[in-house]
Amino acid sequence: MPVVLKLSGIEQVYGTGEASVRALRGIDLDVEQGDYVAIMGPSGSGKSTLMNLLGCLDVASSGSYELAGTDVSSLTERELARVRNEEIGFVFQSFNLVPRMSALANVELPLIYGGLRRAERRRLALEALELVGLSDRADHQPQELSGGQQQRVAIARALVTSPTLVLADEPTGNLDSESTEEILSILDSLASAGRTIVIITHEENVAERAHRVLTISDGLITADRALAGAR
Ligand code: ADP
Ligand code: MG
């Protein structure tokens, strides 16, 4: 499979002089299309820093990051915004849905900037909601949905643009075990369908559903193991 994420010698330094922190100290990583990768590591190890770089929310101090063949460090702010909108589907621990707006309208949001007609946006959003088993909740607002349902809407929103990468930060961190299982089985089916997924998690039972688990400690990748689900 082609490599869709390629990090070489990535370093991230916060601050300057004596107060500076080297949050990432040389990350080399290739992720192939269709890979399902979990990133684990203790607090302060650099997970969020790495996540922000992968999601093009921040640019590394040094090293290179290619997303689907494009060197991200050469992009302007405006181009980065396009990449975040079209190439990356974000799923957050706290769902981040827009309140008082229907599930359907929430899922349509990433398509607003794409110049699609309204009917086409609607069709794609309904398709994404169907994928997460929530067609029958399209008209419901977030506050009328359970946590697990809200996270499924957030996954539909992440998928609606057919992004290169689905990037999830502790997606089950606010969910009970039943809703966690729902989310994990949706991620399983996305992985089977060939989506590229990177998930950050503290939970071993969540990480072991991935096909590959990276451990990061003190700004370096210290372990990289393939699991049974890997192709
Ligand atoms: P994790 O998500 O694994 O807990 P982070 O990526 O948040 O780790 O942090 C890695 C290191 O970088 C920590 O030492 C943290 O204190 C430091 N750090 C993170 N963000 C900043 C920042 N904006 N300014 C200065 N230091 C930071
Ligand atoms: Mg963090």
Side-chain angles (χ1 to χ4, degrees):
M1 282 291 173
V3 171
V4 289
L5 305 181
K6 188 172 184 61
L7 282 70
S8 314
I10 288 285
E11 300 197 340
Q12 187 68 307
V13 181
Y14 292 114
T16 53
E18 287 195 4
S20 69
V21 177
R22 285 178 77 201
L24 297 176
R25 301 188 296 134
I27 301 280
D28 298 309
L29 173 65
D30 283 4
V31 175
E32 289 182 5
Q33 191 179 324
D35 227 347
Y36 179 6
V37 181
I39 299 176
M40 301 195 82
S43 176
S45 57
K47 299 181 301 296
S48 295
T49 301
L50 181 58
M51 188 84 178
N52 289 340
L53 295 178
L54 291 174
C56 298
L57 297 161
D58 206 352
V59 175
S61 309
S62 59
S64 76
Y65 170 28
E66 286 177 29
L67 174 63
T70 300
D71 181 359
V72 165
S73 59
S74 67
L75 300 181
T76 63
E77 245 335 293
R78 193 193 170 93
E79 288 165 333
L80 282 174
R82 188 203 61 79
V83 168
R84 281 194 296 271
N85 183 239
E86 292 175 12
E87 308 285 352
I88 302 168
F90 292 94
V91 180
F92 303 98
Q93 179 169 356
S94 49
F95 324 136
N96 292 11
L97 299 176
V98 181
R100 289 180 294 284
M101 210 164 127
S102 71
L104 186 67
N106 266 282
V107 175
E108 274 186 48
L109 271 182
L111 299 174
I112 298 278
Y113 308 101
L116 292 177
R117 284 162 167 270
R118 188 156 184 274
E120 180 65 1
R121 290 204 306 263
R122 226 188 136 76
R123 188 184 67 76
L124 290 170
L126 277 170
E127 215 172 85
L129 278 174
E130 194 168 328
L131 218 75
V132 298
L134 281 181
S135 315
D136 60 341
R137 294 290 189 279
D139 295 332
H140 289 235
Q141 298 183 359
Q143 67 276 14
E144 302 165 341
L145 299 170
S146 71
Q149 288 172 331
Q150 289 185 57
Q151 193 62 304
R152 282 151 70 191
V153 173
I155 292 176
R157 180 183 57 187
L159 292 173
V160 75
T161 57
S162 298
T164 305
L165 170 66
V166 174
L167 195 52
D169 191 2
E170 299 278 2
T172 60
N174 284 352
L175 300 178
D176 60 31
S177 58
E178 194 180 326
S179 305
T180 293
E181 181 50 40
E182 280 173 16
I183 297 304
L184 292 177
S185 52
I186 289 171
L187 293 178
D188 284 348
S189 61
L190 295 179
S192 309
R195 288 254 158 243
T196 310
I197 305 171
V198 174
I199 174 177
I200 291 195
T201 180
H202 277 96
E203 299 160 277
E204 189 67 51
N205 64 313
V206 172
E208 71 193 17
R209 296 287 279 269
H211 299 171
R212 180 180 173 195
V213 180
L214 300 176
T215 307
I216 157 165
S217 325
D218 203 12
L220 290 170
I221 292 174
T222 51
D224 184 351
R225 61 195 165 101
L227 300 187
R231 290 159 309 150

